[in-house]
Amino acid sequence: GENVEQHPSTLSVQEGDSAVIKCTYSDSASNYFPWYKQELGKRPQLIIDIRSNVGEKKDQRIAVTLNKTAKHFSLHITETQPEDSAVYFCAAMMRKLIFGQGTELSVKP
Amino acid sequence: DSGVTQTPKHLITATGQRVTLRCSPRSGDLSVYWYQQSLDQGLQFLIQYYNGEERAKGNILERFSAQQFPDLHSELNLSSLELGDSALYFCASSVYGRGNEQFFGPGTRLTVL
């Protein structure tokens, strides 16, 4: 079935360290992979996305990599800051947008 | 501010009741999506409308229904409410259908007592 697995479910890092969140998807026909950041009680906000014809995309401290053969993609946040603390969701577009279960990132000052 | 609006912000009701949640997409967006987010679950896709027509369906219960009107706003109707329906309900919109960035509204928090 259509499924996105996301790991880890929680992640705690020290300010300035890097954070990596990984997702795998089930449908090899998926062609669009967005990442959303959600602060407590607020709406999910797109932070970066990647399409299947690209292997890597970077935007300042955030990067996403995609391995189509292995059907997995990852979010990398470098030089983490306390304001990066939030829940991060990966998603994959199959017949519809399927979200992972989320990763709660905590950045300790 | 994403440009997507949702009303009401909060809704408290009793089991067995029926409620209507409203969503106005960003100007120019033709697609509207509804998601349910419970405490112990991620974002569950419910249904998508594109230019007034149902485009995709997810795990939407039969007690729930939705529609998109000619002015492109959408309503999600939840009936025979149960305690387990308590959740955040998000609406999102995009220009076209699949593969386009979805912009989320602020959500409606539904509490069923």
Side-chain angles (χ1 to χ4, degrees):
Chain A
E2 296 169 328
N3 190 43
V4 175
E5 296 283 338
Q6 183 172 347
H7 299 281
S9 56
T10 61
L11 180 59
S12 182
V13 300
Q14 287 295 132
E15 183 177 359
D17 287 351
S18 294
V20 180
I21 302 170
K22 299 184 179 184
C23 292
T24 59
Y25 58 97
S26 58
D27 187 352
S28 57
S30 298
N31 59 6
Y32 176 62
F33 307 89
W35 286 88
Y36 284 85
K37 174 183 179 182
Q38 186 179 26
E39 295 173 358
L40 192 61
K42 298 199 173 175
R43 64 186 175 91
Q45 289 189 273
L46 183 79
I47 55 171
I48 195 166
D49 57 11
I50 191 167
R51 298 190 185 273
S52 58
N53 58 345
V54 175
E56 185 172 357
K57 185 176 178 181
K58 196 172 180 180
D59 183 3
Q60 299 184 328
R61 297 185 297 109
I62 294 172
V64 59
T65 58
L66 171 65
N67 182 328
K68 284 190 296 180
T69 304
K71 291 190 288 185
H72 71 69
F73 56 115
S74 302
L75 177 72
H76 304 251
I77 306 174
T78 58
E79 300 169 26
T80 54
Q81 301 165 5
E83 50 266 38
D84 294 330
S85 296
V87 178
Y88 291 80
F89 290 96
C90 65
M93 180 60 77
M94 303 177 197
R95 289 178 298 122
K96 46 192 178 283
L97 198 59
I98 305 296
F99 283 83
Q101 288 299 95
T103 296
E104 185 174 356
L105 174 64
S106 175
V107 180
K108 299 185 188 309
Chain B
D1 185 3
S2 66
V4 180
T5 61
Q6 287 187 249
T7 56
K9 237 181 169 178
H10 302 277
L11 200 47
I12 301 174
T13 188
T15 54
Q17 295 298 304
R18 173 189 169 96
V19 297
T20 297
L21 313 184
R22 183 189 168 103
C23 167
S24 290
R26 292 188 322 153
S27 176
D29 283 359
L30 299 178
S31 271
V32 168
Y33 312 79
W34 286 98
Y35 293 90
Q36 180 192 57
Q37 187 175 41
S38 305
L39 268 177
D40 57 347
Q41 301 216 1
L43 285 154
Q44 301 292 320
F45 169 74
L46 295 178
I47 198 164
Q48 177 201 354
Y49 279 84
Y50 174 77
N51 204 19
E53 294 191 4
E54 183 183 304
R55 178 59 66 93
K57 229 171 182 176
N59 300 323
I60 188 166
L61 300 172
E62 284 193 17
R63 300 183 286 108
F64 296 0
S65 65
Q67 54 185 326
Q68 187 179 27
F69 295 86
D71 67 352
L72 300 178
H73 91 270
S74 178
E75 292 181 356
L76 179 66
N77 300 296
L78 315 176
S79 61
S80 303
L81 285 168
E82 302 175 359
L83 296 178
D85 296 329
S86 296
L88 256 176
Y89 290 84
F90 286 104
C91 164
S93 73
S94 70
V95 175
Y96 295 116
R98 302 187 285 174
N100 285 95
E101 178 181 352
Q102 294 185 19
F103 295 86
F104 280 77
T108 292
R109 182 171 293 283
L110 173 66
T111 303
V112 182
L113 301 175

